[in-house]
Amino acid sequence: MRQLLSPAADSTGDDLKPDRWNMLVGGSPRGAAAGRTYPVHNPADRSVIAIVPDGEAEDAVDAVDAASEAFVSWRETTPLDRATALRTWHDLIRAHKERIARLLTEEQGKPLREARAEVDFAAGYALWYAEESRRVYGEIVPSTPERRALVMQQPAGVVGAITPWNFPAVMITRKAAPAIAAGCTVILKPAEETPLCALALAELGMEAGLPSGVLNIVTTNQPEKVGTVLLEDERVKVLTFTGSTEVGRRLYGAASRHIKRLSLELGGHAPFIVFDDADIESAVEGAIASKFRNSGQTCICGNRFFVHADVMDEFLKRLLKRVGEMKIGAGTDQNVEIGPLINDQGLRKVEEHVADARALGGRVLCGGEALGHSHETGAGAFFPPTVISEVTAEMKVFREETFGPVLPICTYRDESEVISHANDSFYGLAAYAYTRNLARAYRIAEKLDYGIVGINDPVPTIVEAPFGGVKESGLGREGGRQGIHEYLEPKYVSLGMS
Ligand code: ADP
């Protein structure tokens, strides 16, 4: 180790922040074949925190070569061998938790407390799939006396992975760990904004004993060039993507050429329903956790808040008090709950959604204006937690992902009415409800058209359960015992007995 993470020759100190980083291809740290680089910025103050290789098609092809070569022997390793490497990877991630968390906050902006939790969560996937690699069972299927029917599970092959910037650590292990556990090899292209955690984690993977070529990281500021290779190279058997529905749709179309297997975790627009029998204090805390975690830049965060008319006053009073206490600032500052948005593009979208809601009659109860005029001053894109009441279905906040700390809220009276509003979206990732009525909890969990339902639970994601959406929120599942099957091919073998 220490090749990628150690300071470059011209920088000083034992710090995870060298001036120049390498990508990782075939076990070797290297620059882009064409020699290009690009800067990575800290979203809190726009300072340049690293220079990374700006990879192109040639780098992606080299990575596919390396992953294809490594697959030949990695697929032959025992589940115990793979489990041992993954478990060691988990241990190393935990051992380097503080340094990776700081790196995460620097490149992504989220409060350090959240970054630490994310690193634990990222390590958790490595451990879970270390365990799952030993539980990939085939089947013997009852058949006729003339044959024995078996189903074996085999690694699907080389995997291409494309990850977003909002969870720069957990997205890496949630894709790479199950693929590696299944016996596959991986080429991962992290988001251009946040390549550093991916590189640091991959380096720890090497130190954990992953052979050269099993996990390759291609950094780039030109995602389409690298993405095209992963889509069009016939040797890549599975493409796993987390990102916007718009890009996912494009990849889905392009993958048809080789009928490539796809796993897609796309956008969401989660309804958050508070019933009149809910514990209101806990519902308010849940709303804050769901909406404002990562400054609202999560695909499962609450986007439409439906509060029963009889409890709206109490809910709003408590919510506004709590929101008023939230501290905004750089993720490294003490007690910060709201960090910067990732960039000006993200800020513009939030501003556009708030302006649209205002124009259509929404009442901005707090927040609503960017702090520090980031467009003009070049400072970080800070937007305060914002609550908008009297929202209606025509507003953008009610239909599109805002990806910022904006909480749009409206009232309802009837259970079936609110379920029908909640399901009125082409997204189907996560939904939330607060109620103390057990029968109602069951009933609505069954009726909500979403892949994940949190009842009295605003952050339901755990490594042991499947994460994924229905409708235009995606295909397939990550995590849980289901997650490894994205990287396995069942093979039916019929053995004639004559
Ligand atoms: P977001 O809006 O969250 O940035 P994107 O869907 O644009 O979401 O990005 C998610 C990931 O997809 C990133 O790694 C990004 O580089 C990558 N990406 C964006 N466009 C393409 C493309 N045309 N081909 C392949 N990857 C892409």
Side-chain angles (χ1 to χ4, degrees):
M1 156 150 171
R2 298 281 82 92
Q3 285 172 300
L4 291 163
L5 300 187
S6 62
D10 56 353
S11 60
T12 54
D14 178 26
D15 192 51
L16 267 182
K17 215 175 66 174
D19 292 334
R20 283 175 184 277
W21 289 58
N22 287 305
M23 59 169 97
L24 182 69
V25 175
S28 305
R30 62 174 246 189
R36 290 165 61 118
T37 58
Y38 75 95
V40 177
H41 295 96
N42 180 338
D45 60 11
R46 313 290 166 109
S47 60
V48 174
I49 55 171
I51 305 290
V52 298
D54 186 7
E56 304 197 18
E58 191 180 343
D59 301 285
V61 171
D62 289 348
V64 178
D65 290 346
S68 303
E69 195 182 322
F71 180 61
V72 176
S73 43
W74 187 246
R75 67 175 302 167
E76 299 298 336
T77 54
T78 66
L80 182 58
D81 290 339
R82 301 199 286 269
T84 303
L86 287 170
R87 177 178 263 283
T88 310
W89 196 23
H90 159 268
D91 295 346
L92 286 171
I93 296 170
R94 288 225 176 231
H96 288 80
K97 172 176 166 176
E98 189 59 24
R99 303 175 87 197
I100 298 172
R102 287 186 177 274
L103 191 61
L104 201 166
T105 291
E106 273 189 47
E107 68 175 342
Q108 199 272 342
K110 71 180 59 175
L112 205 43
R113 182 180 44 83
E114 289 184 31
R116 290 188 184 114
E118 183 179 336
V119 176
D120 281 339
F121 194 31
Y125 280 104
L127 182 58
W128 172 255
Y129 285 109
E131 293 158 345
E132 286 299 285
S133 70
R134 303 181 71 192
R135 311 203 197 318
V136 175
Y137 300 119
E139 289 173 50
I140 296 179
V141 182
S143 179
T144 58
E146 297 80 38
R147 70 162 60 82
R148 297 293 178 269
L150 329 172
V151 180
M152 51 177 75
Q153 298 286 353
Q154 296 188 305
V158 173
V159 172
I162 298 178
T163 56
W165 50 261
N166 59 346
F167 288 92
V170 80
M171 290 294 154
I172 309 310
T173 55
R174 190 149 94 186
K175 293 186 186 303
I180 289 168
C184 297
T185 55
V186 179
I187 302 122
L188 188 141
K189 189 209 82 56
E192 44 276 38
E193 296 86 349
T194 57
L196 305 182
C197 281
L199 291 168
L201 290 170
E203 182 150 15
L204 294 176
M206 299 290 294
E207 187 166 316
L210 294 178
S212 298
V214 168
L215 177 56
N216 305 275
I217 308 287
V218 178
T219 56
T220 182
N221 202 21
Q222 309 167 77
E224 199 163 349
K225 285 192 180 164
V226 172
T228 300
V229 171
L230 299 181
L231 272 168
E232 296 194 348
D233 194 311
E234 181 279 325
R235 294 172 296 171
V236 177
K237 301 299 182 199
V238 179
L239 185 73
T240 170
F241 169 82
T242 298
S244 60
T245 294
E246 184 195 338
V247 173
R249 203 187 305 281
R250 223 178 302 149
L251 299 181
Y252 198 16
S256 66
R257 179 160 167 225
H258 293 297
I259 319 292
K260 202 176 292 288
R261 274 181 70 176
L262 276 192
S263 165
L264 300 173
E265 298 294 347
L266 309 177
H269 207 277
F272 189 110
I273 308 168
V274 180
F275 287 97
D276 51 353
D277 55 24
D279 174 336
I280 299 301
E281 195 178 336
S282 140
V284 166
E285 281 310 314
I288 300 263
S290 170
K291 180 73 255 181
F292 298 121
R293 188 168 63 103
N294 203 9
S295 299
Q297 302 171 114
T298 69
C299 47
I300 61 165
C301 68
N303 273 288
R304 290 167 288 150
F305 288 73
F306 300 95
V307 179
H308 193 279
D310 291 350
V311 294
M312 181 65 154
D313 286 350
E314 188 190 350
F315 183 89
L316 259 188
K317 196 169 107 214
R318 286 175 186 261
L319 178 72
L320 292 174
K321 177 168 184 297
R322 228 351 232 108
V323 168
E325 294 161 1
M326 294 184 93
K327 187 173 165 196
I328 306 159
T332 43
D333 292 353
Q334 283 279 314
N335 302 323
V336 158
E337 288 181 88
I338 302 275
L341 296 172
I342 190 73
N343 52 30
D344 273 352
Q345 198 188 334
L347 176 64
R348 274 192 208 101
K349 185 170 186 193
V350 173
E351 289 179 326
E352 181 196 324
H353 279 206
V354 172
D356 171 80
R358 268 203 177 103
L360 292 170
R363 285 186 58 210
V364 177
L365 302 179
C366 63
E369 300 287 343
L371 306 175
H373 304 290
S374 127
H375 302 313
E376 295 88 51
T377 63
F382 290 96
F383 200 89
T386 297
V387 177
I388 308 179
S389 68
E390 284 159 51
V391 292
T392 57
E394 305 81 64
M395 297 177 187
K396 286 185 177 170
V397 283
F398 231 63
R399 308 214 73 83
E400 298 173 23
E401 276 192 301
T402 305
F403 240 58
V406 178
L407 192 156
I409 192 164
C410 63
T411 57
Y412 72 93
R413 286 226 159 258
D414 176 66
E415 181 180 312
S416 56
E417 167 204 342
V418 77
I419 297 289
S420 123
H421 285 313
N423 285 338
D424 179 19
S425 172
F426 60 82
Y427 289 117
L429 187 54
Y432 304 90
Y434 274 74
T435 175
R436 282 181 289 198
N437 178 325
L438 185 58
R440 168 176 275 161
Y442 256 91
R443 194 163 59 233
I444 55 170
E446 287 168 0
K447 286 191 176 158
L448 286 166
D449 294 335
Y450 289 83
I452 302 163
V453 178
I455 307 271
N456 303 326
D457 184 356
V459 187
T461 328
I462 56 172
V463 298
E464 297 85 354
F467 181 102
V470 298
K471 298 198 260 182
E472 294 180 32
S473 287
L475 288 176
R477 294 293 183 272
E478 294 190 320
R481 67 181 173 75
Q482 291 84 355
I484 199 166
H485 288 276
E486 301 292 322
Y487 308 102
L488 290 165
E489 282 289 355
K491 181 181 282 177
Y492 162 52
V493 178
S494 176
L495 181 63
M497 299 303 287
S498 56

